[in-house]
Amino acid sequence: MMTLKKNAWLYFVMCLVCLFACQEAEDPIEVEQEPEETVVIEYGTVSGTVTDAGSGQPILGATVTLYGLSFTTGVDGTFAFHGIPYDNAHVLTVADVDYKPYSQPFAFNQPRLTVDVALTPLRDPEAEIREFFDHFSDLLESLDMDNIEAIQSLFSETYVAADDPATLFGVASGIIPENYEDVVPAMTQLFAEYVLLEFIFKDIEIDVTNARKMAVTLRLDIDAEKGEQRDLRELKAHCKFEFRREGSDWKIVYWQLLELDIRL
């Protein structure tokens, strides 16, 4: 009798153990996991202006590169890159055929960043123009018909003389050409009529806009002897020139006589 009760008690205990074991299997203990960290990528705008280091004037046509993107500056020299990701190792580069290459590393961690760039010309524009006038004077004083094409090459095909009274008198006198097409006939007539020419460009004042554009004011003294009689001519003028670089060469695009004094 005691054995039966003991076996029944053991059976009851085993049933309870199985019951609790099944409940634990059906209701596992949930382990709370930490939330994954979200990575946020921020973007902003990088902009600026490309200028000439000497004059501070904007540069047209410079190529600005950043983050694999390129931008060509307009007449105001500005550029802008949008959607640039924040980074501590960006590099901005600027290239232009008439200026030294430019490269600037920078960190970017704000919505808007201004990066202004000043480019240094490859060559000294003022020194180039002084050499230009020395060469121009040598060609004119040579009175060599074979040099007339070389003289024409110093003028832009868009060249025009001013239309004020002093300049028009200079054109009528054959001293300066009216336009590009007039350079060869004007120089041919000048060389045919004179047996001596001295062109002295002095008191040169140069206003450089950038490596491709400038204006020049100067004093021009011309001493000449005309014809077999070697009649003396003396001209003194205050001149204004405008220049533009075409390719690698400076060209005259405008010529004005601000003042003119002729002595026969």
Side-chain angles (χ1 to χ4, degrees):
M1 185 69 177
M2 290 295 293
T3 301
L4 179 61
K5 288 183 178 180
K6 185 177 181 179
N7 290 339
W9 174 250
L10 291 174
Y11 177 76
F12 177 73
V13 171
M14 292 178 63
C15 287
L16 288 176
V17 171
C18 290
L19 178 61
F20 283 114
C22 290
Q23 288 180 345
E24 291 178 358
E26 292 176 358
D27 301 318
I29 299 175
E30 294 183 0
V31 178
E32 185 175 349
Q33 297 181 351
E34 296 182 0
E36 294 184 1
E37 184 178 351
T38 302
V39 178
V40 178
I41 301 177
E42 296 183 278
Y43 299 87
T45 297
V46 178
S47 61
T49 304
V50 180
T51 60
D52 182 280
S55 68
Q57 294 296 315
I59 297 173
L60 165 68
T63 301
V64 186
T65 303
L66 173 64
Y67 193 58
L69 305 172
S70 292
F71 190 101
T72 301
T73 58
V75 293
D76 57 358
T78 59
F79 64 88
F81 295 95
H82 304 286
I84 302 300
Y86 286 16
D87 196 303
N88 290 328
H90 277 303
V91 178
L92 183 81
T93 62
V94 185
D96 187 282
V97 294
D98 295 312
Y99 290 87
K100 295 179 180 179
Y102 178 94
S103 180
Q104 177 181 344
F106 66 95
F108 181 50
N109 55 8
Q110 60 195 73
R112 297 190 66 86
L113 178 65
T114 300
V115 182
D116 291 329
V117 177
L119 297 184
T120 301
L122 285 172
R123 299 166 293 273
D124 182 351
E126 293 195 15
E128 288 183 302
I129 285 301
R130 293 184 188 280
E131 292 176 1
F132 178 99
F133 281 112
D134 288 341
H135 181 52
F136 192 16
S137 178
D138 290 341
L139 291 174
L140 291 168
E141 292 178 355
S142 72
L143 291 175
D144 186 345
M145 293 291 184
D146 291 337
N147 286 334
I148 290 179
E149 288 188 6
I151 293 174
Q152 186 182 41
S153 71
L154 302 180
F155 291 79
S156 169
E157 292 186 7
T158 62
Y159 161 77
V160 292
D163 59 0
D164 59 276
T167 305
L168 291 176
F169 185 85
V171 169
S173 301
I175 301 299
I176 66 174
E178 183 177 11
N179 49 46
Y180 179 77
E181 290 74 18
D182 187 43
V183 174
V184 170
M187 293 299 107
T188 300
Q189 180 177 349
L190 188 69
F191 283 13
E193 292 183 354
Y194 288 87
V195 295
L196 173 69
L197 281 176
E198 290 184 355
F199 274 73
I200 302 173
F201 298 100
K202 63 182 184 180
D203 300 335
I204 299 174
E205 297 182 3
I206 304 171
D207 182 12
V208 177
T209 301
N210 52 50
R212 292 187 284 272
K213 185 178 180 182
M214 73 170 68
V216 177
T217 57
L218 53 79
R219 294 285 177 179
L220 171 60
D221 289 351
I222 301 177
D223 293 323
E225 295 180 3
K226 186 175 182 180
E228 294 181 359
Q229 293 78 22
R230 305 183 74 90
D231 294 333
L232 296 178
R233 300 286 192 275
E234 183 179 342
L235 179 148
K236 295 182 181 296
H238 185 200
C239 301
K240 177 181 179 180
F241 291 87
E242 291 181 4
F243 286 87
R244 180 174 60 237
R245 189 187 295 278
E246 297 181 359
S248 60
D249 300 321
W250 287 102
K251 306 281 188 178
I252 302 171
V253 296
Y254 179 81
W255 189 349
Q256 180 182 12
L257 300 183
L258 303 174
E259 297 176 6
L260 181 62
D261 180 15
I262 297 179
R263 300 177 184 178
L264 304 178

